[in-house]
Amino acid sequence: MDVALDPTLGCGQAHRWHKVGDSWEGVLGNEVITLTQTEDGFECEGTEDRDMILDYFRAEDDLDSIYDDCARHDSFVSDLIGRCKGMRILRQPHYECIATYILATNANVKRIGAMVEGVCRTFGKDLGGRYSFPTPKEIVDGKDRICECRLGYRADRFVEFAQSVLDGRFDPDALESLSYEECVEELLTVKGVGPKVADCIALFSYGHLEAFPIDARISAVMKNVYGIEGSYKKVSAAAREMFGRYAGYSQEFLFHADFIE
């Protein structure tokens, strides 16, 4: 499978991966996974479930075709693609992705990672130095300890979401069959999920590759490079039309352009 681990795992899509030497260490489910880049893909330690890994990296995505489509839509993005070959959009577990992005509100990548690790240490299973992402029941049962995670105003929202999943009032897996618009609409019913967070989840978990999350950096790019500004809804709609069905890939290239050497 064609994948470049550094831009894929280090670009802020997911927050459980750490670079250790030449490898990436992360947690998927109850397994601590180590991935090392090779010429034809990667070596994997920590699990025998290669199908899980391939699904996580969306192995079915034809990167050449996707990149060609992105390049045809925009020459500026085309130049960025050439310097970041092998970046993939991930397919993260639905519940974990939603819970993580509830924590991501008004926080940078480093802060998000610290909060996620704090939640996992406090409520998750000890996997030998790393911790599983806690289930809704583990969070609700231990909610009196939520202050230990230092989540600030996000704490109540985080517990409330876990409770809603545990009670069956919100089923993350039920969103799988929805269209992009329907998926975003349902996500917006979750307290702590706004339009940008909903787009992140739709893109990084539910496979809606047309989603185009807009934060301050992307807003500036859309204004300064493309002359598009206004409400979130206006800029998002314009971006999806401009960049096409793989707008989410174009967004990632634009977001991390300053970090490409």
Side-chain angles (χ1 to χ4, degrees):
M1 179 179 63
D2 180 17
V3 59
L5 296 178
D6 283 358
T8 300
L9 299 179
C11 70
Q13 295 185 64
H15 300 87
R16 303 291 331 263
W17 295 94
H18 305 306
K19 189 76 178 286
V20 181
D22 294 328
S23 301
W24 284 89
E25 182 189 274
V27 180
L28 292 178
N30 290 319
E31 297 180 299
V32 180
I33 311 295
T34 300
L35 302 174
T36 304
Q37 191 78 60
T38 62
E39 290 186 2
D40 57 353
F42 58 85
E43 294 180 350
C44 177
E45 298 179 11
T47 183
E48 296 181 358
D49 190 352
R50 191 168 180 83
D51 287 343
M52 174 184 69
I53 302 297
L54 294 176
D55 183 69
Y56 185 74
F57 282 105
R58 295 184 56 89
E60 75 276 13
D61 285 355
D62 182 342
L63 288 193
D64 287 338
S65 177
I66 290 172
Y67 289 178
D68 285 347
D69 189 275
C70 292
R72 283 196 301 271
H73 277 86
D74 187 75
S75 60
F76 187 75
V77 169
S78 180
D79 289 340
L80 301 179
I81 293 171
R83 290 178 283 166
C84 202
K85 286 286 189 179
M87 186 198 73
R88 285 182 173 270
I89 299 293
L90 300 172
R91 181 187 284 116
Q92 300 177 52
H94 304 323
Y95 156 72
E96 180 175 336
C97 188
I98 297 171
T100 294
Y101 273 92
I102 287 174
L103 300 180
T105 307
N106 297 320
N108 60 31
V109 171
K110 183 177 180 180
R111 173 75 173 121
I112 298 166
M115 287 189 287
V116 171
E117 290 304 323
V119 162
C120 293
R121 267 194 317 274
T122 302
F123 302 110
K125 299 179 183 68
D126 188 347
L127 305 176
R130 296 297 302 273
Y131 297 81
S132 64
F133 196 90
T135 65
K137 188 175 189 307
E138 287 172 332
I139 294 169
V140 172
D141 287 350
K143 62 184 179 181
D144 291 344
R145 301 175 59 201
I146 193 67
C147 59
E148 299 175 20
C149 303
R150 305 181 70 180
L151 308 181
Y153 66 87
R154 306 168 190 84
D156 289 343
R157 298 174 178 181
F158 186 75
V159 173
E160 183 176 326
F161 173 65
Q163 185 73 65
S164 72
V165 175
L166 185 63
D167 292 346
R169 289 180 284 117
F170 187 89
D171 180 4
D173 294 337
L175 278 59
E176 280 190 355
S177 61
L178 302 182
S179 68
Y180 161 70
E181 291 81 5
E182 292 169 335
C183 181
V184 167
E185 184 177 355
E186 287 299 314
L187 289 168
L188 289 173
T189 67
V190 178
K191 188 174 182 180
V193 173
K196 181 256 184 177
V197 167
D199 272 334
C200 286
I201 298 166
L203 177 60
F204 300 139
S205 183
Y206 290 97
H208 293 295
L209 300 182
E210 70 269 41
F212 193 88
I214 300 169
D215 65 354
R217 178 190 293 269
I218 289 297
S219 180
V221 170
M222 294 302 293
K223 177 181 177 181
N224 298 332
V225 177
Y226 301 102
I228 298 173
E229 58 183 317
S231 68
Y232 188 99
K233 184 176 181 180
K234 175 186 174 182
V235 177
S236 177
R240 292 197 305 277
E241 182 176 356
M242 179 187 304
F243 297 114
R245 58 178 175 165
Y246 300 121
Y249 268 92
S250 293
Q251 190 270 3
E252 281 297 288
F253 289 121
L254 291 169
F255 185 88
H256 296 283
D258 290 345
F259 301 102
I260 300 172
E261 296 180 358

